[in-house]
């Protein structure tokens, strides 16, 4: 950490401080609309009321992959452009992505119990998401294992890019392997097979969750920058008192 | 080319000499396989059924055990810095080191498989199939594991972290390796399909591994 690292993040802090209140307001609004629509959506003719788990489960699953995508772009920012904010973005996205992945697994298992009769099945989609969760945890361990944040950033960036191979595997696992998990129904060739009564609340919830991620991520980035700034000030203080 | 050949020769001979630790992997492999009958019971029919999976898990853990050595010894005595600074492209040097590691630590695992297959009541055809899948799959384990080893070498005490980082990446290799062995052993499904995917995984890791390892070495070492 040198003083030059603080130069650009200051502008980020100012910007984050200005847009965060608005972002929080929009997130709450969209999530409220989405939750209301989900609650009033009709029951499925086969699955009954349990279909509503979908409105939580699917956005979490999307976000678990989306966050890894954000981290991969941040990893490129770290390795190629040496952007100081990319480190911060990559580091703070990891726990949030891990939480989304865990919630996707949890809600999926709660949905699977009434539908498939089992909490867990070693199916291709479930297994690849579980591996994604393990990789998130491994990245968190890696970030915590190195003291110098910029060194940790470069090690984590390589691992993030290697791990991004898993994302297309998760996306297409339901098409490549014919297993218990249902095939893609929202984003697919030839349009969605989902009824509009389900599709619209689902899309609103997906937008709401993405906004939630953005809000949490920007807030976490701000905290991380402030934390690093405090650390730098403490080290300056220590070196001054030592001299 | 001569520099790379020299690097391979040096790494293999260092690994095979006293303190090199390459053959400890085989000993560990033997120990894992011997432990299994104590855990699942000495039922020969069951062991035969589990045989390919046991052999693959054993080989995976054994190669993980020796991966730690891929860069740490060179990092400790300073020769890794020389390799990074030399005119040979670091990607090729990493590939050469991984090749040497596979020759010294991976190939002995494949060679030990027929003997260990006897302990697990596998017949000749099944043992041959498992050995063939290990021959095709262990390069993938080495070359993806090298990424973790390169990340771990820049950390202090990275050995424990190495296994956490590498194991998720090795799951596809394990899946298709065991699937191909089981297909040869009993299954109605053909041996060729999972085996060719296994070969594809090895070839892909041959390309990705050296680049990722070189990138993390270049960025991680000061």
């Amino acid at each position: 950490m040198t003083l030059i690292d603080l130069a650009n993040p200051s502008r980020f802090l100012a910007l984050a401080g200005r847009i965060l209140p608005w972002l929080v307001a929009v997130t709450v609004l969209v999530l409220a609309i989405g939750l209301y629509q989900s609650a009033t959506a009709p029951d499925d003719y086969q699955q009954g009321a349990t279909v509503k788990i979908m409105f939580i489960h699917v956005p979490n699953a999307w976000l678990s992959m989306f966050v890894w995508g954000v981290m991969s772009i941040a990893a490129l920012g770290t390795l190629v452009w040496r952007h100081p904010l990319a480190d911060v973005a990559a580091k703070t996205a990891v726990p949030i992505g891990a939480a989304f992945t865990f919630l996707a697994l949890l809600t999926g298992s709660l949905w699977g119990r009434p539908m498939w009769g089992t909490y867990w099945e070693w199916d291709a989609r479930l297994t690849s998401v579980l591996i994604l969760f393990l990789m998130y945890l491994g990245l968190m361990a890696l970030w915590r294992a190195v003291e110098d944040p910029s060194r940790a950033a470069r090690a984590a960036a390589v691992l993030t890019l290697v791990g991004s191979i898993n994302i297309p595997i998760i996306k297409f696992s339901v098409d490549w392997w014919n297993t218990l998990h249902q095939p893609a129904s929202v984003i697919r060739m030839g349009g969605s097979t989902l009824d509009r009564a389900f599709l619209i609340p689902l899309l609103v919830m997906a937008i709401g969750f993405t906004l939630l991620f953005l809000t949490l991520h920007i807030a976490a980035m701000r905290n991380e920058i402030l934390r690093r700034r405090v650390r730098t000030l403490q080290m300056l203080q220590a070196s001054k008192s030592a001299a | 080319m001569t520099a790379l050949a020299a690097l391979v020769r040096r790494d293999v001979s260092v690994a095979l000499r006293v303190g090199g630790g390459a053959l400890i992997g085989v000993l560990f492999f033997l120990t894992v396989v011997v432990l299994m009958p104590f855990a699942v019971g000495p039922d020969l029919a069951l062991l035969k059924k589990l045989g390919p999976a046991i052999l693959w898990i054993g080989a995976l853990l054994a190669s993980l055990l020796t991966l730690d050595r891929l860069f740490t010894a060179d990092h400790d005595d300073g020769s890794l810095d020389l390799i990074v600074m030399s005119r040979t492209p670091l990607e090729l040097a990493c590939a050469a080191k991984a090749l040497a590691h596979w020759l010294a630590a991976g190939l002995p695992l494949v060679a030990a498989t027929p003997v260990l297959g006897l302990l697990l009541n596998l017949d000749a055809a099944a043992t041959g199939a498992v050995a063939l899948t290990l021959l095709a799959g262990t390069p993938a384990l080495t070359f993806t594991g090298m990424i973790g080893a390169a990340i771990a070498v820049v950390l202090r005490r990275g050995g424990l972290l190495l296994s956490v980082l590498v194991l998720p990446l090795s799951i596809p290799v394990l899946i298709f390796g065991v699937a191909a062995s089981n297909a040869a052993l009993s299954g109605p499904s053909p041996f060729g399909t999972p085996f060719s995917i296994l070969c594809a995984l090895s070839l892909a890791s041959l390309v990705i591994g050296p680049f990722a390892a070189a990138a993390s070495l270049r960025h991680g070492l000061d």
Side-chain angles (χ1 to χ4, degrees):
Chain A
M1 285 292 278
T2 52
L3 282 175
I4 201 150
D5 281 337
L6 297 175
N8 196 348
S10 301
R11 274 162 52 200
F12 174 80
L13 282 183
L15 191 69
R18 228 176 302 146
I19 64 170
L20 256 184
W22 295 96
L23 205 54
V24 170
V26 174
T27 306
V28 170
L29 187 70
V30 174
L31 276 180
I33 295 172
L35 281 173
Y36 174 77
Q37 283 185 330
S38 315
T40 53
D43 287 353
D44 187 67
Y45 78 102
Q46 268 185 326
Q47 304 193 3
T50 53
V51 74
K52 285 173 184 160
I53 300 174
M54 173 181 78
F55 299 123
I56 303 290
H57 170 70
V58 174
N60 272 314
W62 278 345
L63 261 291
S64 70
M65 292 187 268
F66 178 76
V67 175
W68 198 283
V70 170
M71 279 157 43
S72 303
I73 296 169
L76 283 179
T78 300
L79 291 179
V80 181
W81 303 297
R82 304 276 174 114
H83 194 285
L85 273 180
D87 296 9
V88 178
K91 181 179 183 181
T92 51
V94 183
I96 306 176
F100 280 127
T101 313
F102 175 72
L103 285 175
L105 287 168
L106 184 75
T107 52
S109 125
L110 290 177
W111 195 9
R113 180 67 194 161
M115 289 303 106
W116 299 341
T118 172
Y119 284 112
W120 183 259
E121 176 74 26
W122 287 98
D123 136 288
R125 172 65 67 89
L126 273 62
T127 314
S128 51
V129 174
L130 183 63
I131 295 171
L132 182 71
F133 183 57
L134 289 180
M135 294 200 310
Y136 272 118
L137 295 186
L139 263 185
M140 279 167 77
L142 181 59
W143 273 107
R144 283 165 168 270
V146 195
E147 285 161 44
D148 179 12
S150 65
R151 258 176 105 161
R154 283 170 288 178
V158 174
L159 195 68
T160 309
L161 288 179
V162 173
S164 64
I165 300 168
N166 195 21
I167 298 298
I169 295 180
I170 295 175
K171 173 76 187 85
F172 296 110
S173 59
V174 285
D175 304 327
W176 293 342
W177 291 282
N178 232 334
T179 48
L180 197 54
H181 198 282
Q182 63 155 344
S185 51
V186 178
I187 301 171
R188 61 186 284 275
M189 302 286 278
S192 172
T193 55
L194 217 59
D195 190 78
R196 283 177 67 85
F198 296 116
L199 185 61
I200 291 172
L202 182 61
L203 289 180
V204 174
M205 285 299 273
I207 295 168
F209 268 78
T210 311
L211 286 169
L212 177 65
F213 165 69
L214 284 179
T215 312
L216 291 175
H217 193 206
I218 291 177
M221 279 175 75
R222 188 172 65 166
N223 289 346
E224 176 68 21
I225 292 171
L226 293 175
R227 202 177 296 131
R228 288 187 183 186
R229 209 169 259 196
V230 168
R231 183 166 178 261
T232 312
L233 289 176
Q234 280 173 338
M235 284 164 81
L236 278 177
Q237 192 77 34
S239 64
K240 224 179 270 172
S241 58
Chain B
M1 205 60 217
T2 49
L4 293 176
L7 190 60
V8 172
R9 214 164 30 233
R10 162 189 174 271
D11 270 25
V12 171
S13 56
V14 164
L16 292 179
R17 280 179 195 160
V18 177
L23 296 175
I24 293 176
V26 180
L27 192 59
F28 183 78
F29 189 22
L30 172 69
T31 316
V32 169
V33 171
V34 169
L35 277 179
M36 279 301 159
F38 292 101
V40 301
D43 177 2
L44 280 180
L46 182 64
L47 283 177
K48 181 176 181 167
K49 195 160 170 253
L50 294 178
I54 294 173
L55 288 173
W56 258 94
I57 288 282
L60 178 62
L61 294 178
S63 74
L64 196 66
L65 188 74
T66 50
L67 268 178
D68 198 24
R69 297 230 167 206
L70 191 51
F71 292 114
T72 36
D74 283 358
H75 185 241
D76 290 345
D77 67 14
S79 46
L80 188 61
D81 291 320
L82 292 178
I83 294 172
V84 172
M85 284 190 294
S86 74
R87 270 185 304 181
T88 322
L90 186 55
E91 286 80 7
L92 286 178
C94 283
K97 282 190 75 68
L99 175 68
H101 180 266
W102 180 73
L103 287 174
L107 208 51
L109 297 181
V110 180
T113 310
V115 184
L116 299 181
L118 280 179
L119 292 175
L120 295 172
N121 193 29
L122 291 180
D123 55 31
T127 309
V130 176
L132 192 62
T133 56
L134 278 176
L135 184 66
T138 42
L141 296 181
T142 302
F143 276 80
T144 49
M146 172 172 63
I147 305 170
I151 289 172
V153 75
V154 300
L155 320 172
R156 265 166 291 153
R157 299 179 300 275
L160 189 61
L161 193 61
L162 173 68
S163 50
V164 176
L165 299 181
V166 165
L167 280 181
L169 297 177
S170 59
I171 290 172
V173 183
L174 182 68
I175 290 174
F176 289 107
V178 175
S181 323
N182 278 333
L185 185 66
S186 56
S189 53
F191 173 77
T193 318
F195 185 72
S196 38
I197 297 179
L198 187 65
C199 294
L201 285 172
S202 272
L203 291 174
S205 69
L206 228 63
V207 177
I208 298 169
F211 279 93
S216 98
L217 283 182
R218 223 178 252 130
H219 290 289
L221 298 172
D222 290 324

